[in-house]
Amino acid sequence: MLRSNVSRIDPKRRNVPDHRKKQLAEAAYKDTDYPHRLNFYSTPPTADITIEQFEQWAIDRLRILAELEACSFRNKTPAETASHMKPLLDKYLPLDTNSSSSSQLFAQRQKDHYSHFILRLAFASTEDLRRRFTRVETMLFRMRLNADDGRERAAFINSLNLDWETVSDEEKRELAAELAATASFGGFKKGQQQQQYEEDQQTWCKVSWLRVPELVEQRRVFLRQGYAYVPAREQQAMVVSEFSSRLERQLELTARALPRLDEDDRLTPILAHLSKNFITPDASYVGTSSAISSADISARNIDNLVNNHHFPACMSHLHRTLRRDAHLKHYGRLQYTLFLKGIGLNLEECLLFWRQSFNKITDDTFNKEYRYNVRHTYGDVGGDSNRRGGGYSPYSCQKILTEHPPGPGEAHGCPYRHFNMENLQTLLQQGMGVTDRGVLNGVKEDKEKQKFHMACNRVFEHLHKEELKKAKDEGIMTAAQLETIVHPNEYFKRSYLLKNMGKMQGDVKMEG
């Protein structure tokens, strides 16, 4: 079993009044209770969890945060984001309301609590990670707050003991005209303003105007003597702002404490892997999970699969380079062989594919210099562990982006990262049929912001826009099956399923 509160205080500092020490010390003796669906994550969890739970809970939350960030990059509206995220949240991080009477309430809220703090440890090390973590956690909190049951939301807000002053009935009567006028700036139609004002009558509060500068700028509050009078509809924004500012401060404290944390050796690689994945979202991938049983995956059909745009840019470039030069250097061969293995090309067909592709050398040269490496990649030769494990797994986007950058004459890597914009545009236009200026400009922006996986998803959505629309309209594929692609083999799998929906809807529904 693993103690989740992995930090211990130096005995020499036990009598030193330190707010960081207090934060950690208090957590060690509090029984965890979850009276509300929502959580400000003020108190670290302290119960025992297994190392498997530690890792899996964090990975599940990371999936949610990565997809939320993807929605933001795609400029989805709050309503579109909520609709897109609902099936993913139900799958990876469900949170039922108290009124649901679910038997899983404690387990759901415990996972939510722990996963937040695990990722907080992983993402506190740099300013960029802290900023991004705060932003996406705030997005998640806002979405949950807006979707919460009205009474439960009010009870949660009241439990926070925020430094707000409730406006008395006498003061509301005194300022009735001014408060009513505030409703006219709330974005409501005339018929809604009186109703909204009457609802706000019961729940006005006032705070220093310095705490709500955005609401002041947007004229959504009434100002008087240095106070902002905030109606009920805007108090949620204040709660979200308070959540964000508190999390920022807590992450800074965590960052300062990290060098002194006595971490379990088992946790260090997990935390490092999680933070690395947040920089470039990864996907767990084992064996040939993207293989499609009914697809024609053979040496003779690879060209056809490429020409039908089933391959991502990285693999399309490798294939076209191979066809042009009748050769790929070592890392290019390894990256491409693993991809072909992942889509379902068996060892015999793979050997045939490479032999036919290397058409400028003799059989003897191929057998001596290349045949063994292909067999080793599939786990057909090598040590016992390699054979038992079935060889190597296909590379994820993260691995392609961060390991073995291509040198002169090499074709592996990620075009969105390793190509200049001119060469990337040529590949997309001539090699993949992307001619839409809006898409190309979007790819350029993604590349400049180093959001390489978003550029790849942008191209995928453009090449499959008609199929994606049909899949969503007819309910053939769910939002959970259409989350952001972070693996070349997932790109192929989704492309093939979408392009062949009419022929294999049963397979589509069964996947994911």
Side-chain angles (χ1 to χ4, degrees):
M1 299 295 285
L2 168 69
R3 192 72 176 175
S4 64
N5 186 14
V6 296
S7 57
R8 293 197 294 269
I9 306 301
D10 185 344
K12 296 179 181 178
R13 295 177 53 85
R14 282 179 181 160
N15 296 320
V16 179
D18 190 323
H19 58 284
R20 289 169 294 187
K21 173 184 173 183
K22 181 181 178 184
Q23 182 188 27
L24 295 172
E26 282 186 347
Y29 303 104
K30 279 192 175 181
D31 291 331
T32 304
D33 187 23
Y34 303 107
H36 306 288
R37 174 176 177 264
L38 301 173
N39 197 332
F40 253 39
Y41 310 106
S42 301
T43 305
T46 58
D48 291 335
I49 61 172
T50 66
I51 192 73
E52 290 78 14
Q53 288 174 318
F54 185 96
E55 182 171 21
Q56 189 58 55
W57 290 359
I59 289 173
D60 287 349
R61 191 180 194 93
L62 187 59
R63 284 179 177 270
I64 295 299
L65 298 184
E67 196 63 24
L68 270 174
E69 191 172 51
C71 288
S72 174
F73 293 148
R74 293 172 179 173
N75 295 317
K76 288 184 179 288
T77 66
E80 289 172 339
T81 299
S83 176
H84 176 79
M85 292 301 302
K86 187 180 184 308
L88 299 174
L89 285 165
D90 290 344
K91 180 177 181 179
Y92 295 115
L93 206 62
L95 270 186
D96 293 327
T97 63
N98 291 338
S99 58
S100 70
S101 300
S102 170
S103 61
Q104 298 298 312
L105 285 184
F106 179 84
Q108 291 174 356
R109 295 173 186 185
Q110 184 186 47
K111 178 180 179 180
D112 176 66
H113 189 200
Y114 276 78
S115 61
H116 170 88
F117 273 92
I118 296 168
L119 294 190
R120 188 187 291 189
L121 279 176
F123 304 142
S125 58
T126 70
E127 182 179 352
D128 179 62
L129 284 176
R130 292 194 297 272
R131 181 174 61 251
R132 289 179 60 200
F133 182 66
T134 299
R135 190 168 72 89
V136 291
E137 279 284 343
T138 300
M139 289 175 63
L140 177 60
F141 179 81
R142 180 189 291 112
M143 188 169 60
R144 286 172 165 175
L145 183 69
N146 291 338
D148 206 11
D149 174 84
R151 291 184 179 180
E152 293 186 22
R153 179 171 56 222
F156 169 72
I157 293 174
N158 289 336
S159 73
L160 298 175
N161 295 319
L162 299 175
D163 185 22
W164 298 355
E165 181 180 346
T166 302
V167 179
S168 66
D169 291 340
E170 180 181 352
E171 192 170 11
K172 281 191 285 188
R173 286 193 294 270
E174 177 187 346
L175 301 173
E178 290 86 349
L179 299 182
T182 303
S184 65
F185 293 96
F188 297 97
K189 296 178 181 178
K190 290 184 177 181
Q192 297 174 304
Q193 291 176 8
Q194 183 61 28
Q195 177 185 357
Q196 183 63 41
Y197 168 68
E198 291 173 355
E199 293 174 359
D200 288 342
Q201 274 285 75
Q202 306 300 320
T203 52
W204 286 84
C205 71
K206 59 181 180 180
V207 297
S208 169
W209 71 273
L210 294 172
R211 292 183 57 183
V212 288
E214 292 183 0
L215 297 181
V216 172
E217 181 181 2
Q218 297 167 7
R219 298 187 179 184
R220 292 178 177 270
V221 294
F222 168 63
L223 295 178
R224 185 192 190 202
Q225 298 178 352
Y227 284 96
Y229 287 70
V230 186
R233 67 176 182 271
E234 305 298 349
Q235 289 170 20
Q236 290 185 41
M238 291 173 60
V239 174
V240 172
S241 177
E242 184 71 18
F243 174 88
S244 181
S245 60
R246 287 192 187 186
L247 181 55
E248 286 177 353
R249 293 193 297 270
Q250 290 165 350
L251 281 168
E252 289 175 1
L253 294 180
T254 303
R256 295 173 196 168
L258 280 177
R260 300 198 308 274
L261 289 179
D262 182 20
E263 294 174 333
D264 188 310
D265 290 340
R266 296 169 296 174
L267 305 187
T268 305
I270 296 175
L271 295 175
H273 184 67
L274 289 169
S275 62
K276 189 176 183 181
N277 285 355
F278 197 50
I279 296 172
T280 306
D282 198 2
S284 57
Y285 185 89
V286 180
T288 56
S289 62
S290 70
I292 304 171
S293 58
S294 56
D296 179 10
I297 309 297
S298 59
R300 68 175 183 277
N301 199 41
I302 298 299
D303 286 319
N304 185 47
L305 295 174
V306 174
N307 293 333
N308 284 327
H309 306 309
H310 293 317
F311 285 19
C314 54
M315 303 306 166
S316 178
H317 175 62
L318 283 168
H319 184 81
R320 294 176 192 283
T321 302
L322 176 62
R323 286 290 179 255
R324 183 192 68 202
D325 301 338
H327 186 263
L328 286 176
K329 291 191 175 182
H330 170 72
Y331 286 117
R333 295 197 306 272
L334 182 58
Q335 180 176 314
Y336 196 33
T337 299
L338 290 172
F339 172 79
L340 295 174
K341 172 188 174 185
I343 69 173
L345 190 69
N346 64 39
L347 175 58
E348 182 179 349
E349 287 290 319
C350 191
L351 287 168
L352 176 61
F353 170 78
W354 283 111
R355 179 64 196 98
Q356 292 174 340
S357 299
F358 281 25
N359 54 28
K360 296 180 181 179
I361 61 175
T362 65
D363 287 343
D364 187 53
T365 301
F366 179 81
N367 291 334
K368 285 182 178 179
E369 298 185 16
Y370 303 108
R371 186 181 183 88
Y372 180 88
N373 287 338
V374 176
R375 294 178 61 203
H376 188 270
T377 300
Y378 273 74
D380 188 52
V381 294
D384 290 341
S385 60
N386 185 56
R387 291 200 297 270
R388 283 197 302 269
Y392 302 119
S393 294
Y395 287 174
S396 67
C397 293
Q398 175 188 298
K399 192 173 183 70
I400 293 171
L401 283 166
T402 59
E403 297 184 13
H404 307 299
E410 294 182 312
H412 67 280
C414 172
Y416 299 105
R417 175 169 188 172
H418 298 120
F419 280 25
N420 62 37
M421 193 57 214
E422 182 180 354
N423 289 340
L424 177 59
Q425 185 167 302
T426 299
L427 170 64
L428 294 178
Q429 290 178 321
Q430 298 180 7
M432 302 183 71
V434 180
T435 57
D436 186 280
R437 296 305 307 174
V439 175
L440 293 171
N441 289 335
V443 167
K444 182 180 180 182
E445 292 178 8
D446 293 334
K447 178 175 172 61
E448 290 172 350
K449 295 177 181 177
Q450 298 187 12
K451 302 299 180 185
F452 309 113
H453 61 291
M454 293 308 306
C456 187
N457 276 267
R458 187 186 297 275
V459 169
F460 179 90
E461 290 174 1
H462 171 69
L463 294 174
H464 301 80
K465 56 187 176 184
E466 294 181 4
E467 293 84 359
L468 285 167
K469 184 178 185 304
K470 179 180 179 182
K472 292 176 182 177
D473 291 346
E474 299 182 10
I476 296 172
M477 298 182 81
T478 66
Q481 292 171 298
L482 296 172
E483 59 184 299
T484 303
I485 297 171
V486 290
H487 201 296
N489 289 82
E490 180 60 30
Y491 185 109
F492 168 81
K493 175 181 178 180
R494 197 173 301 178
S495 173
Y496 193 92
L497 292 175
L498 284 168
K499 293 287 187 181
N500 292 275
M501 277 187 295
K503 305 174 185 176
M504 47 191 303
Q505 285 194 11
D507 289 322
V508 174
K509 288 183 176 292
M510 288 171 59
E511 299 293 339

